[in-house]
Amino acid sequence: MPKILIIGGVAGGASAAARARRLSEDAEIIMFERGQFVSFANCGLPYHIGGDIKDRSKLLLQTPESFLARFNVDVRVMNEVVAINREAKSVTVRNLVDGSEYQESYDFLLLSPGASPIVPPTTGIDNPLTFSLRNIPDMDRIINAIQSNKPSHATVVGGGFIGLEMMEAFHQLGIQTALIEMADQVMTPVDKEMAGFVHQEIRGKGIDLRLSTALEAVNQHDKGLTLSFNNGESLETGLLIMAIGVRPETTLARAAGLKIGELGGIWVNDEMQTSDPFIYAVGDAVEEKDFVTGKQTIVPLAGPANRQGRMAADNMLGANETYQGTQGTAICKVFDLAVASTGKNEKQLEREGISYEKVYVHTASHASYYPGAEVVSLKLMFAPETGKILGGQAVGKDGVDKRIDILAVAQRAGMTVEQLQHVELTYAPPYGSAKDVINQAAFVATNVMKGDIKAMHYHEIETLGDDQVLLDVRNPGELEAVGRFPNAINIPVDQLRQRLDELPKDKEIVVACQVGLRGNVAYRQLVNNGFKAKNLIGGYRTWKTAFC
């Protein structure tokens, strides 16, 4: 039976080791990990810092001893593989405890080295008050710094998953916090208008959110750090977290002459084989196939890494499994909100030159008359010719995970938005609605495809021409309480039939309401009475949030 060496634990490597043993009791399996911990919940690290996960040991999923007892896997922590000799099918391993080196042969080798935090060459960044977060020792250092220095202020640079989670952790600890993001939005897997809901939530919690701002220099002094930004502003802080992203760890692969993809990750085929058929690679270090485009992509998420590790183990032991692509399905908690996405976002579709249409719905997470209902804001992208689902995004306090999970399954199953209308989901007032958020988004998308609605989108409101009129069909009280569109005529939808003569028939009427639902009712009245019209999809809520 084969001898399998695995470099790196955590998601991909540990999954491969466990799967290989389940398939074969006779295979010799050795796993090398240069750190102290072989299988830990790295996604849980910020939640231990913030106090949500009280017991540090809960983050340790497996130990070398438990791996040996349950799976008979020889796990060697503090052992770093420093070279791969492909011709001899062996690796050189350095024992980090005593500095000694030794050789280990293999029949198959699995690379699961993960990714390393990106630390820019910013002046002064190398100081004892600046940290990144990728593993247990990083977490311990941050906790020790908080306990030792008792900072009153902390700064997080980077508005991705780790950055947002660390921002919340500091807030929960009572530390005044600033979040710095070079882009014009946080959470780049979603589009800017959906991120606007997150911006509102962050600022509502008292966080100093600075968008379109880049860190240029760090100066350490007796009282902490002075941060200097590209806009000339500065900020005093006691602790700095750099969370601007990660890059694939490819040092070993490059040194071994393995093919590196155009995006900088290890190249693998659909069987997770590298350019050497006896070497496989999985997880954050590899370039995998994008589910929507079929092109190479890098998506550092635990779910794909686990599935790839399992599949690589199958193939090393004689199977012929193929990876079916990564959708990038992800979710992040930001205080009371959840923000989630699957598939491609609008920016990516435009970059790829893929034709798409989009719709928005803002509706209740369960029956609105049952206590506790919260608004789910959902954006759905689809191919205008076929209705193929291209991507989805959702933000809200409840039910966001459910809706994005449904869209992820529907997308992988190849469903169209027309078919999505007929998805039958559970309904009882505490849990859902007779017309779920998913169904409603599909109804709107199908209406757009069929031509039953002519869509106007939030970014077009600023460029209305002289031959267009903006009609707001909300009630006057809403305008005072929520806000107004500039230069809009106001005729409430329930009065529209009686007041059609107030509207010009020689101009296009752009109908708007709070979320788009009443706008559709008004739109149908207008076109059925001979008017040219469009409906603002997503209504005032989308338009307003886009500029937060």
Side-chain angles (χ1 to χ4, degrees):
M1 292 301 292
K3 181 178 181 181
I4 298 173
L5 303 186
I6 299 173
I7 301 175
V10 195
S15 295
R19 176 65 172 175
R21 176 57 71 218
R22 290 196 296 271
L23 293 175
S24 170
E25 190 62 29
D26 300 321
E28 183 180 359
I29 307 170
I30 305 173
M31 183 156 53
F32 302 98
E33 172 57 53
R34 62 187 172 190
Q36 297 173 254
F37 306 97
V38 66
S39 181
F40 62 91
N42 53 357
C43 296
L45 303 180
Y47 298 107
H48 179 59
I49 294 172
D52 293 302
I53 300 172
K54 304 293 185 185
D55 188 349
R56 179 179 179 276
S57 66
K58 298 290 187 184
L59 299 173
L60 305 177
L61 306 179
Q62 292 281 357
T63 65
E65 294 76 19
S66 67
F67 244 110
L68 180 63
R70 180 167 296 183
F71 298 111
N72 192 25
V73 172
D74 180 2
V75 177
R76 303 179 187 177
V77 295
M78 302 301 291
N79 276 249
E80 181 179 11
V81 176
V82 294
I84 301 170
N85 186 338
R86 291 167 55 189
E87 290 185 5
K89 294 181 70 174
S90 69
V91 298
T92 302
V93 187
R94 179 178 299 144
N95 185 317
L96 298 180
V97 176
D98 60 18
S100 63
E101 292 189 357
Y102 61 95
Q103 305 292 313
E104 198 72 60
S105 64
Y106 65 82
D107 293 307
F108 292 104
L109 177 64
L110 176 68
L111 304 180
S112 181
S116 55
I118 297 172
V119 180
T122 305
T123 302
I125 200 75
D126 186 11
N127 66 75
L129 297 176
T130 297
F131 304 88
S132 58
L133 179 62
R134 191 64 181 167
N135 52 40
I136 296 276
D138 290 341
M139 179 190 74
D140 291 341
R141 283 190 286 269
I142 293 170
I143 292 174
N144 289 336
I146 294 171
Q147 294 173 344
S148 301
N149 301 321
K150 295 180 172 53
S152 59
H153 188 282
T155 300
V156 179
V157 177
F161 293 97
I162 296 295
L164 292 170
E165 290 161 0
M166 281 304 304
M167 170 199 71
E168 184 169 351
F170 286 135
H171 183 269
Q172 287 185 189
L173 294 172
I175 301 172
Q176 188 179 355
T177 307
L179 179 64
I180 312 300
E181 171 54 56
M182 187 165 62
D184 60 358
Q185 66 167 94
V186 302
M187 197 67 181
T188 53
V190 304
D191 291 309
K192 185 181 178 183
E193 72 277 17
M194 300 299 286
F197 295 105
V198 184
H199 299 161
Q200 289 178 339
E201 180 74 4
I202 291 171
R203 290 182 171 124
K205 296 296 184 181
I207 303 297
D208 178 9
L209 175 62
R210 305 190 187 192
L211 301 173
S212 303
T213 301
L215 178 65
E216 286 199 334
V218 180
N219 179 40
Q220 184 185 2
H221 48 78
D222 291 343
K223 296 181 179 179
L225 303 173
T226 299
L227 310 181
S228 301
F229 304 114
N230 62 335
N231 56 11
E233 296 177 352
S234 63
L235 178 66
E236 298 297 321
T237 195
L239 199 65
L240 176 61
I241 302 294
M242 297 299 297
I244 62 174
V246 296
R247 61 165 57 93
E249 177 53 71
T250 60
T251 304
L252 266 179
R254 289 178 185 274
L258 298 177
K259 181 179 178 181
I260 304 298
E262 293 182 1
L263 302 178
I266 302 171
W267 178 91
V268 291
N269 61 17
D270 289 344
E271 288 77 36
M272 307 311 299
Q273 281 177 309
T274 68
S275 52
D276 184 321
F278 299 102
I279 301 177
Y280 291 71
V282 300
D284 296 357
V286 308
E287 293 185 10
E288 63 253 67
K289 183 171 69 175
D290 184 280
F291 181 80
V292 176
T293 67
K295 297 181 179 180
Q296 295 301 103
T297 187
I298 296 177
V299 182
L301 293 172
N306 274 285
R307 297 196 303 275
Q308 292 164 7
R310 174 188 173 92
M311 186 174 302
D314 285 352
N315 291 339
M316 285 188 287
L317 291 168
N320 188 28
E321 300 288 336
T322 58
Y323 188 64
Q324 301 299 307
T326 296
Q327 294 166 272
T329 308
I331 189 168
C332 186
K333 176 183 178 294
V334 185
F335 297 113
D336 296 328
L337 283 184
V339 53
S341 61
T342 191
K344 310 306 286 182
N345 60 38
E346 194 170 345
K347 300 182 293 287
Q348 292 167 331
L349 292 171
E350 289 180 352
R351 189 162 58 243
E352 295 288 342
I354 297 173
S355 177
Y356 69 95
E357 184 54 273
K358 59 185 177 181
V359 297
Y360 304 87
V361 292
H362 307 279
T363 190
S365 57
H366 61 247
S368 57
Y369 56 81
Y370 187 89
E374 300 285 355
V375 175
V376 175
S377 297
L378 187 143
K379 177 179 182 179
L380 176 63
M381 273 80 62
F382 59 96
E385 299 83 11
T386 64
K388 176 184 176 183
I389 298 168
L390 299 175
Q393 303 164 26
V395 183
K397 294 184 178 181
D398 180 57
V400 166
D401 53 344
K402 170 181 175 179
R403 273 65 187 211
I404 290 299
D405 284 344
I406 293 168
L407 283 182
V409 172
Q411 182 182 54
R412 189 162 288 271
M415 293 178 64
T416 66
V417 293
E418 194 279 331
Q419 292 170 325
L420 199 61
Q421 295 179 107
H422 306 290
V423 168
E424 190 170 325
L425 303 172
T426 56
Y427 164 58
Y431 303 109
S433 300
K435 290 190 294 185
D436 189 79
V437 181
I438 292 292
N439 300 120
Q440 293 197 40
F443 293 154
V444 178
T446 303
N447 283 341
V448 170
M449 281 190 65
K450 290 181 176 178
D452 291 342
I453 296 176
K454 286 190 176 180
M456 169 75 72
H457 290 297
Y458 72 90
H459 50 82
E460 299 174 279
I461 291 295
E462 307 303 314
T463 57
L464 294 180
D466 295 336
D467 58 345
Q468 294 172 303
V469 171
L470 182 58
L471 172 65
D472 192 332
V473 297
R474 294 176 294 165
N475 295 320
E478 289 179 77
L479 308 188
E480 297 301 323
V482 179
R484 299 172 178 268
F485 289 102
N487 305 314
I489 298 172
N490 178 224
I491 302 177
V493 65
D494 294 335
Q495 301 176 18
L496 186 58
R497 282 190 179 86
Q498 290 74 41
R499 297 174 61 181
L500 287 174
D501 58 354
E502 298 178 29
L503 299 172
K505 278 206 167 183
D506 61 339
K507 294 187 177 183
E508 182 179 70
I509 312 299
V510 177
V511 188
C513 66
Q514 185 63 22
V515 298
L517 184 60
R518 284 171 292 176
N520 183 48
V521 173
Y523 169 85
R524 293 309 310 171
Q525 287 186 31
L526 290 170
V527 296
N528 288 340
N529 281 279
F531 286 86
K532 295 182 295 182
K534 286 183 178 177
N535 185 26
L536 179 64
I537 305 295
Y540 182 85
R541 183 178 174 89
T542 300
W543 176 79
K544 182 68 173 177
T545 308
F547 303 103
C548 291

